[in-house]
Amino acid sequence: MKTDNGLVRATPAGNAPGRATQPAAGGTAAPSSLVDGSLFITAKLGTYIDYIDLMPGSSTTVRITSISTFSMDDSAPKNLGFGFIVTDADGDSASGSLGIVVQNGQVVNGDAGNNVLFGGAGAQVLSGGDGKDILIGGAGNDTLIGGEGDDVFQWNFGDQGGVGSAAHDVVKDFSLGINTLDLADLLQGEAAETIDSFIFAAQEGSSTVLYVNHEGSIGANGSNATQVIVLENFNMNDQGSAEFLKGLLDSGQLHID
Protein backbone atom coordinates (compact mmCIF):
# COMPACT_ATOMS: atom_id res chain seq x y z
CA MET A 1 0.00 0.00 0.00
CA LYS A 2 1.32 3.43 -0.90
CA THR A 3 0.25 6.36 1.28
CA ASP A 4 0.90 10.08 1.63
CA ASN A 5 1.46 10.93 5.30
CA GLY A 6 -1.29 10.16 7.81
CA LEU A 7 -1.65 7.12 10.01
CA VAL A 8 -2.54 3.54 9.13
CA ARG A 9 -3.83 0.87 11.50
CA ALA A 10 -4.30 -2.75 10.43
CA THR A 11 -6.53 -5.03 12.48
CA PRO A 12 -6.24 -8.77 11.75
CA ALA A 13 -9.32 -10.96 12.07
CA GLY A 14 -9.71 -13.19 15.08
CA ASN A 15 -7.07 -11.29 17.06
CA ALA A 16 -4.42 -12.84 14.85
CA PRO A 17 -1.27 -10.74 15.01
CA GLY A 18 -0.65 -8.46 12.05
CA ARG A 19 2.51 -6.54 11.31
CA ALA A 20 3.28 -3.23 9.67
CA THR A 21 6.81 -2.62 8.57
CA GLN A 22 8.57 -0.71 11.37
CA PRO A 23 5.28 -0.20 13.26
CA ALA A 24 4.86 2.58 15.78
CA ALA A 25 3.66 1.78 19.28
CA GLY A 26 0.11 0.50 19.67
CA GLY A 27 -0.01 -1.05 16.19
CA THR A 28 -0.32 2.33 14.43
CA ALA A 29 2.08 3.06 11.61
CA ALA A 30 3.32 6.64 11.19
CA PRO A 31 4.86 8.18 8.02
CA SER A 32 8.28 7.14 9.30
CA SER A 33 7.16 3.52 8.82
CA LEU A 34 7.11 3.95 5.03
CA VAL A 35 9.78 2.15 3.01
CA ASP A 36 10.39 3.91 -0.30
CA GLY A 37 6.91 5.37 0.01
CA SER A 38 5.28 1.99 0.66
CA LEU A 39 3.76 0.48 3.79
CA PHE A 40 3.76 -3.32 4.09
CA ILE A 41 1.12 -5.01 6.26
CA THR A 42 1.28 -8.78 6.73
CA ALA A 43 -0.67 -11.44 8.59
CA LYS A 44 0.53 -14.77 9.94
CA LEU A 45 0.04 -17.84 7.76
CA GLY A 46 -3.61 -18.92 7.85
CA THR A 47 -4.91 -15.53 8.99
CA TYR A 48 -5.99 -12.42 7.13
CA ILE A 49 -6.29 -8.68 7.63
CA ASP A 50 -9.85 -7.84 8.68
CA TYR A 51 -9.75 -4.11 7.97
CA ILE A 52 -7.46 -1.11 7.68
CA ASP A 53 -8.19 2.34 9.15
CA LEU A 54 -6.77 5.42 7.46
CA MET A 55 -6.63 8.48 9.71
CA PRO A 56 -5.03 11.87 8.95
CA GLY A 57 -2.46 12.96 11.49
CA SER A 58 -2.05 16.42 12.89
CA SER A 59 -1.96 19.01 10.10
CA THR A 60 -1.71 16.25 7.49
CA THR A 61 -3.87 14.47 4.96
CA VAL A 62 -3.92 10.82 3.99
CA ARG A 63 -4.27 9.52 0.46
CA ILE A 64 -4.04 6.01 -1.03
CA THR A 65 -2.33 6.03 -4.41
CA SER A 66 -2.23 2.26 -4.95
CA ILE A 67 -2.97 -1.06 -3.23
CA SER A 68 -1.42 -4.43 -4.00
CA THR A 69 -1.46 -7.84 -2.37
CA PHE A 70 0.49 -11.04 -2.83
CA SER A 71 0.37 -14.56 -1.46
CA MET A 72 2.77 -17.49 -1.51
CA ASP A 73 -0.11 -19.87 -2.36
CA ASP A 74 -0.27 -19.77 -6.15
CA SER A 75 -2.95 -22.47 -6.38
CA ALA A 76 -5.73 -20.64 -4.53
CA PRO A 77 -7.77 -17.81 -6.12
CA LYS A 78 -7.33 -14.36 -4.60
CA ASN A 79 -10.68 -12.70 -3.94
CA LEU A 80 -10.38 -9.00 -3.14
CA GLY A 81 -13.52 -7.04 -2.20
CA PHE A 82 -13.65 -3.26 -2.12
CA GLY A 83 -16.52 -1.07 -0.98
CA PHE A 84 -16.56 2.58 -1.95
CA ILE A 85 -18.51 5.79 -1.40
CA VAL A 86 -18.24 8.70 -3.84
CA THR A 87 -19.30 12.18 -2.68
CA ASP A 88 -19.49 15.27 -4.89
CA ALA A 89 -19.02 18.91 -3.94
CA ASP A 90 -22.72 19.29 -3.10
CA GLY A 91 -22.63 16.42 -0.62
CA ASP A 92 -24.51 13.94 -2.83
CA SER A 93 -23.09 10.45 -2.52
CA ALA A 94 -23.35 7.02 -4.09
CA SER A 95 -21.90 3.74 -2.91
CA GLY A 96 -21.04 0.43 -4.45
CA SER A 97 -18.68 -2.51 -4.30
CA LEU A 98 -16.20 -4.25 -6.54
CA GLY A 99 -14.84 -7.78 -6.35
CA ILE A 100 -11.50 -8.69 -7.93
CA VAL A 101 -10.46 -12.29 -8.52
CA VAL A 102 -6.87 -13.15 -9.42
CA GLN A 103 -5.69 -16.72 -9.82
CA ASN A 104 -2.46 -18.19 -11.09
CA GLY A 105 -4.04 -21.24 -12.65
CA GLN A 106 -5.83 -22.45 -15.74
CA VAL A 107 -9.39 -21.66 -14.57
CA VAL A 108 -10.51 -18.41 -12.91
CA ASN A 109 -14.11 -18.28 -11.70
CA GLY A 110 -16.10 -15.27 -10.56
CA ASP A 111 -19.18 -15.32 -8.36
CA ALA A 112 -22.64 -13.75 -8.37
CA GLY A 113 -21.26 -10.23 -7.83
CA ASN A 114 -19.51 -7.79 -10.13
CA ASN A 115 -16.01 -9.17 -10.62
CA VAL A 116 -12.77 -8.18 -12.33
CA LEU A 117 -11.01 -11.36 -13.49
CA PHE A 118 -7.36 -11.32 -14.52
CA GLY A 119 -5.63 -14.10 -16.37
CA GLY A 120 -1.89 -14.58 -16.62
CA ALA A 121 0.64 -15.30 -19.32
CA GLY A 122 -0.62 -18.80 -20.14
CA ALA A 123 -3.73 -20.27 -21.71
CA GLN A 124 -6.56 -19.85 -19.23
CA VAL A 125 -10.34 -20.01 -18.87
CA LEU A 126 -12.02 -17.01 -17.24
CA SER A 127 -15.67 -17.40 -16.23
CA GLY A 128 -17.44 -14.38 -14.77
CA GLY A 129 -20.60 -16.00 -13.46
CA ASP A 130 -23.51 -13.69 -12.68
CA GLY A 131 -23.11 -9.94 -12.40
CA LYS A 132 -21.47 -7.29 -14.55
CA ASP A 133 -17.92 -8.53 -14.91
CA ILE A 134 -14.67 -7.40 -16.51
CA LEU A 135 -12.59 -10.22 -17.98
CA ILE A 136 -8.93 -9.59 -18.87
CA GLY A 137 -7.30 -12.69 -20.28
CA GLY A 138 -3.77 -11.32 -20.47
CA ALA A 139 -1.17 -12.81 -22.76
CA GLY A 140 -1.67 -16.29 -24.17
CA ASN A 141 -4.61 -18.01 -25.83
CA ASP A 142 -7.57 -17.66 -23.47
CA THR A 143 -11.23 -18.64 -23.27
CA LEU A 144 -13.53 -15.97 -21.86
CA ILE A 145 -17.04 -16.68 -20.54
CA GLY A 146 -18.96 -13.66 -19.30
CA GLY A 147 -22.00 -15.47 -17.95
CA GLU A 148 -25.18 -13.62 -17.03
CA GLY A 149 -25.09 -9.84 -16.94
CA ASP A 150 -23.57 -7.19 -19.18
CA ASP A 151 -19.85 -7.92 -19.27
CA VAL A 152 -16.69 -6.29 -20.61
CA PHE A 153 -13.98 -8.31 -22.37
CA GLN A 154 -10.77 -6.32 -22.26
CA TRP A 155 -7.44 -6.55 -24.09
CA ASN A 156 -4.40 -4.53 -23.06
CA PHE A 157 -1.30 -3.51 -24.96
CA GLY A 158 1.29 -6.23 -24.49
CA ASP A 159 -1.29 -9.04 -24.42
CA GLN A 160 -1.08 -9.48 -28.20
CA GLY A 161 1.23 -11.82 -30.03
CA GLY A 162 3.21 -11.08 -33.18
CA VAL A 163 2.64 -11.34 -36.90
CA GLY A 164 2.52 -15.05 -37.65
CA SER A 165 2.08 -15.85 -33.95
CA ALA A 166 -1.04 -13.92 -33.02
CA ALA A 167 -2.68 -14.41 -29.63
CA HIS A 168 -5.95 -16.31 -30.12
CA ASP A 169 -8.79 -15.74 -27.65
CA VAL A 170 -12.33 -17.11 -27.72
CA VAL A 171 -15.35 -15.30 -26.26
CA LYS A 172 -17.93 -18.03 -25.67
CA ASP A 173 -21.08 -15.97 -25.00
CA PHE A 174 -20.79 -12.48 -26.47
CA SER A 175 -24.47 -12.60 -27.43
CA LEU A 176 -25.57 -13.20 -23.80
CA GLY A 177 -26.44 -9.74 -22.48
CA ILE A 178 -25.21 -6.38 -23.79
CA ASN A 179 -21.50 -7.12 -23.75
CA THR A 180 -18.56 -4.92 -24.74
CA LEU A 181 -15.21 -5.54 -26.39
CA ASP A 182 -12.70 -3.09 -24.87
CA LEU A 183 -9.69 -2.66 -27.16
CA ALA A 184 -8.86 0.91 -26.13
CA ASP A 185 -5.52 0.03 -24.52
CA LEU A 186 -4.54 -2.61 -27.08
CA LEU A 187 -4.93 -0.48 -30.20
CA GLN A 188 -2.31 2.20 -30.76
CA GLY A 189 -3.36 5.42 -32.50
CA GLU A 190 -6.79 4.22 -33.60
CA ALA A 191 -9.92 6.30 -34.21
CA ALA A 192 -13.46 5.49 -35.28
CA GLU A 193 -12.66 6.75 -38.78
CA THR A 194 -9.65 4.43 -39.12
CA ILE A 195 -10.91 1.34 -37.29
CA ASP A 196 -10.87 -0.64 -40.56
CA SER A 197 -7.09 -0.29 -40.55
CA PHE A 198 -6.89 -2.10 -37.21
CA ILE A 199 -9.63 -4.76 -37.36
CA PHE A 200 -11.00 -7.03 -40.06
CA ALA A 201 -14.20 -8.93 -39.20
CA ALA A 202 -15.23 -12.15 -40.94
CA GLN A 203 -18.01 -14.69 -40.57
CA GLU A 204 -16.45 -18.13 -40.22
CA GLY A 205 -19.06 -20.82 -39.75
CA SER A 206 -21.31 -19.90 -36.85
CA SER A 207 -18.76 -17.53 -35.31
CA THR A 208 -17.53 -14.02 -36.00
CA VAL A 209 -13.74 -13.66 -36.05
CA LEU A 210 -11.97 -10.33 -35.49
CA TYR A 211 -8.46 -10.12 -36.91
CA VAL A 212 -6.62 -7.31 -35.13
CA ASN A 213 -3.31 -5.62 -35.75
CA HIS A 214 -2.68 -3.39 -32.75
CA GLU A 215 -0.53 -0.96 -34.75
CA GLY A 216 -2.88 -0.65 -37.72
CA SER A 217 -2.46 -1.56 -41.40
CA ILE A 218 -4.29 -4.86 -41.02
CA GLY A 219 -3.77 -6.89 -44.16
CA ALA A 220 -6.40 -8.15 -46.57
CA ASN A 221 -8.67 -10.76 -44.99
CA GLY A 222 -6.91 -10.29 -41.65
CA SER A 223 -3.41 -11.22 -42.65
CA ASN A 224 -0.62 -9.92 -40.35
CA ALA A 225 -2.97 -9.99 -37.31
CA THR A 226 -1.31 -9.86 -33.90
CA GLN A 227 -4.54 -10.67 -32.00
CA VAL A 228 -7.43 -12.88 -33.07
CA ILE A 229 -10.75 -12.70 -31.21
CA VAL A 230 -13.40 -15.35 -31.91
CA LEU A 231 -16.98 -14.44 -30.96
CA GLU A 232 -18.37 -17.94 -30.77
CA ASN A 233 -21.91 -18.45 -32.14
CA PHE A 234 -22.21 -14.75 -32.98
CA ASN A 235 -23.51 -13.80 -36.43
CA MET A 236 -22.64 -10.77 -38.56
CA ASN A 237 -26.02 -11.05 -40.32
CA ASP A 238 -24.49 -10.78 -43.81
CA GLN A 239 -22.76 -7.47 -43.04
CA GLY A 240 -19.35 -6.66 -44.38
CA SER A 241 -16.47 -5.93 -42.04
CA ALA A 242 -16.78 -2.12 -42.15
CA GLU A 243 -20.54 -2.13 -41.58
CA PHE A 244 -20.28 -4.65 -38.77
CA LEU A 245 -17.55 -2.71 -36.93
CA LYS A 246 -19.46 0.55 -37.31
CA GLY A 247 -22.50 -1.11 -35.77
CA LEU A 248 -20.46 -2.26 -32.77
CA LEU A 249 -19.05 1.23 -32.32
CA ASP A 250 -22.45 2.90 -32.64
CA SER A 251 -24.00 0.52 -30.09
CA GLY A 252 -21.14 0.94 -27.62
CA GLN A 253 -20.21 -2.75 -27.85
CA LEU A 254 -16.76 -1.92 -29.21
CA HIS A 255 -14.76 0.49 -27.07
CA ILE A 256 -11.72 2.32 -28.44
CA ASP A 257 -9.96 5.56 -27.53
Side-chain angles (χ1 to χ4, degrees):
M1 174 183 292
K2 290 185 177 292
T3 66
D4 292 340
N5 292 327
L7 304 176
V8 179
R9 183 177 68 228
T11 303
N15 296 320
R19 178 178 62 84
T21 299
Q22 298 176 356
T28 300
S32 60
S33 302
L34 301 181
V35 178
D36 294 329
S38 297
L39 176 69
F40 297 91
I41 302 171
T42 65
K44 290 180 63 177
L45 184 64
T47 67
Y48 60 92
I49 301 297
D50 190 35
Y51 65 87
I52 298 173
D53 285 334
L54 299 175
M55 299 167 291
S58 177
S59 301
T60 64
T61 59
V62 60
R63 177 168 64 96
I64 298 177
T65 58
S66 65
I67 297 176
S68 63
T69 67
F70 69 91
S71 170
M72 298 303 292
D73 183 4
D74 290 336
S75 63
K78 311 303 181 289
N79 297 280
L80 309 177
F82 298 95
F84 59 86
I85 300 176
V86 180
T87 305
D88 64 16
D90 297 329
D92 299 323
S93 64
S95 63
S97 62
L98 177 67
I100 300 178
V101 181
V102 184
Q103 182 172 342
N104 184 17
Q106 293 187 342
V107 179
V108 182
N109 293 312
D111 54 24
N114 301 329
N115 300 295
V116 181
L117 275 61
F118 296 89
Q124 295 172 315
V125 178
L126 276 63
S127 180
D130 295 339
K132 299 179 179 180
D133 306 309
I134 301 175
L135 290 80
I136 307 169
N141 301 328
D142 303 305
T143 300
L144 310 176
I145 307 169
E148 298 291 339
D150 301 333
D151 304 308
V152 176
F153 303 94
Q154 181 177 317
W155 285 263
N156 294 326
F157 179 70
D159 294 344
Q160 78 282 348
V163 175
S165 58
H168 190 281
D169 298 327
V170 178
V171 179
K172 301 288 285 186
D173 57 351
F174 187 68
S175 60
L176 183 60
I178 303 175
N179 297 315
T180 301
L181 303 172
D182 185 352
L183 277 63
D185 191 76
L186 173 65
L187 304 182
Q188 305 298 298
E190 83 287 0
E193 297 77 15
T194 61
I195 195 64
D196 293 337
S197 298
F198 291 83
I199 307 174
F200 175 78
Q203 186 75 47
E204 299 184 5
S206 60
S207 299
T208 295
V209 182
L210 305 181
Y211 295 92
V212 181
N213 185 296
H214 65 288
E215 296 179 325
S217 301
I218 188 72
N221 299 321
S223 62
N224 76 322
T226 56
Q227 174 72 59
V228 177
I229 301 171
V230 178
L231 307 179
E232 196 168 271
N233 297 317
F234 191 80
N235 201 294
M236 293 174 61
N237 295 320
D238 297 323
Q239 297 177 99
S241 177
E243 184 181 4
F244 176 76
L245 294 174
K246 182 179 185 301
L248 289 181
L249 288 170
D250 290 345
S251 68
Q253 289 189 278
L254 175 59
H255 176 60
I256 62 174
D257 286 329

